[in-house]
């Protein structure tokens, strides 16, 4: 099975712009979570989608949004970019059937805001 | 608030020495616990997970972790460090199965 894929892998934007990141989960996985990873902060949970519905949301401003499509692919959008949004954005998917399954991570999208 | 703490953002060990990476959670309700490893420019890979079946959990690459409820801990160990173990290690917890909380990570350096 193919792993979690994220596109693009690298992105450079300027302040004020918006960006859309894409995540394709492992085939059959319906839960997709997004994290922001920065040095010293570890992974900060952004949101989790399941069957096209946002099921959980972290403590991030409304500039961060996401959605999930019927094929479980997910996108996250950041509007009005700030310098502090520079980070590695990780997507993770989880298999169905049973709780507390581990998350399978993609390689991430490294966003640099200038 | 529920959280997870990793003591020591940087740990250095000699090749062949014991690896001990610490993880504590803050809750009276035991969560499900995970250890992940991240190599440079890669996503996170699961090392092992505790789901209440056994307190001592064995994972990949010779790593293991022991859940101690009385200490609210889930420390990761490996008897003998290898150069290839150099990476970032993250402890994660979940109470709901849908939302995961990650520690800030421990960077492991293995000295030849």
């Amino acid at each position: 099975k193919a792993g979690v894929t994220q596109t693009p892998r690298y992105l450079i934007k300027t302040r004020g712009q918006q960006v859309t990141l894409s995540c394709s989960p492992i085939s059959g996985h319906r839960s997709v979570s997004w994290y922001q990873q920065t040095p010293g902060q570890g992974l900060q949970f952004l949101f989790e989608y399941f069957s096209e519905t946002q099921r959980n949301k972290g403590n991030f401003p409304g500039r961060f949004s996401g959605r999930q499509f019927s094929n479980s692919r997910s996108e996250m959008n950041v509007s009005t970019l700030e310098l502090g949004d520079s980070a590695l954005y990780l997507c993770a998917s989880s298999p169905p059937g049973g709780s507390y399954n581990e998350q399978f991570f993609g390689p991430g999208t490294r966003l640099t805001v200038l | 608030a529920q959280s997870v703490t990793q003591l020591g953002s940087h740990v250095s060990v000699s090749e062949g020495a014991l690896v001990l990476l610490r993880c504590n959670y803050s809750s009276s309700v035991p969560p499900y616990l995970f250890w992940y490893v991240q190599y440079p420019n890669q996503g996170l890979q699961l090392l092992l997970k505790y789901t209440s079946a056994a307190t001592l959990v064995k994972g990949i690459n010779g790593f293991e972790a022991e859940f101690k409820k009385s200490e609210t801990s889930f420390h990761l160990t490996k008897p003998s460090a290898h150069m290839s173990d150099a990476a970032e290690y993250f402890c994660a917890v979940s109470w709901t199965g849908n939302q995961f909380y990650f520690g800030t990570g421990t960077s492991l350096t293995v000295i030849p």
Side-chain angles (χ1 to χ4, degrees), chain B residues 14-50:
Chain B
S14 298
E15 190 174 16
L18 171 72
V19 176
L20 171 61
L21 305 182
R22 300 178 186 275
C23 174
N24 288 85
Y25 64 91
S26 59
S27 173
S28 59
V29 178
Y32 288 84
L33 298 129
F34 306 80
W35 274 101
Y36 285 86
V37 61
Q38 185 180 35
Y39 298 101
N41 299 315
Q42 294 186 28
L44 277 69
Q45 177 186 3
L46 181 72
L47 277 176
L48 48 82
K49 66 178 179 180
Y50 166 74

Side-chain angles (χ1 to χ4, degrees), chain B residues 6-85:
Chain B
Q6 289 184 242
L7 290 175
S9 58
H10 298 276
V11 170
S12 294
V13 299
S14 298
E15 190 174 16
L18 171 72
V19 176
L20 171 61
L21 305 182
R22 300 178 186 275
C23 174
N24 288 85
Y25 64 91
S26 59
S27 173
S28 59
V29 178
Y32 288 84
L33 298 129
F34 306 80
W35 274 101
Y36 285 86
V37 61
Q38 185 180 35
Y39 298 101
N41 299 315
Q42 294 186 28
L44 277 69
Q45 177 186 3
L46 181 72
L47 277 176
L48 48 82
K49 66 178 179 180
Y50 166 74
T51 56
S52 78
T55 57
L56 182 62
V57 182
K58 294 187 184 299
I60 63 172
N61 301 338
F63 284 93
E64 62 182 37
E66 185 174 8
F67 171 65
K68 292 186 176 180
K69 184 178 178 180
S70 61
E71 299 178 7
T72 61
S73 69
F74 190 58
H75 302 332
L76 181 71
T77 61
K78 182 174 181 178
S80 177
H82 191 273
M83 295 299 293
S84 61
D85 294 328

Side-chain angles (χ1 to χ4, degrees), chain A residues 30-96:
Chain A
R30 294 163 61 189
S31 170
V32 174
S33 297
W34 287 90
Y35 296 87
Q36 180 193 68
Q37 184 180 13
T38 54
Q41 294 292 318
L43 277 76
Q44 303 288 313
F45 173 75
L46 281 156
F47 26 66
E48 185 242 355
Y49 285 88
F50 181 83
S51 293
E52 303 179 65
T53 300
Q54 187 181 86
R55 196 161 58 174
N56 291 287
K57 188 177 189 305
N59 189 26
F60 276 81
R63 298 185 298 107
F64 293 82
S65 63
R67 60 177 175 170
Q68 187 179 34
F69 302 94
S70 58
N71 62 358
S72 294
R73 189 177 69 86
S74 178
E75 290 181 345
M76 68 162 282
N77 183 276
V78 188
S79 62
T80 318
L81 284 166
E82 301 177 358
L83 295 179
D85 297 333
S86 294
L88 180 67
Y89 290 88
L90 292 165
C91 166
S93 70
S94 297

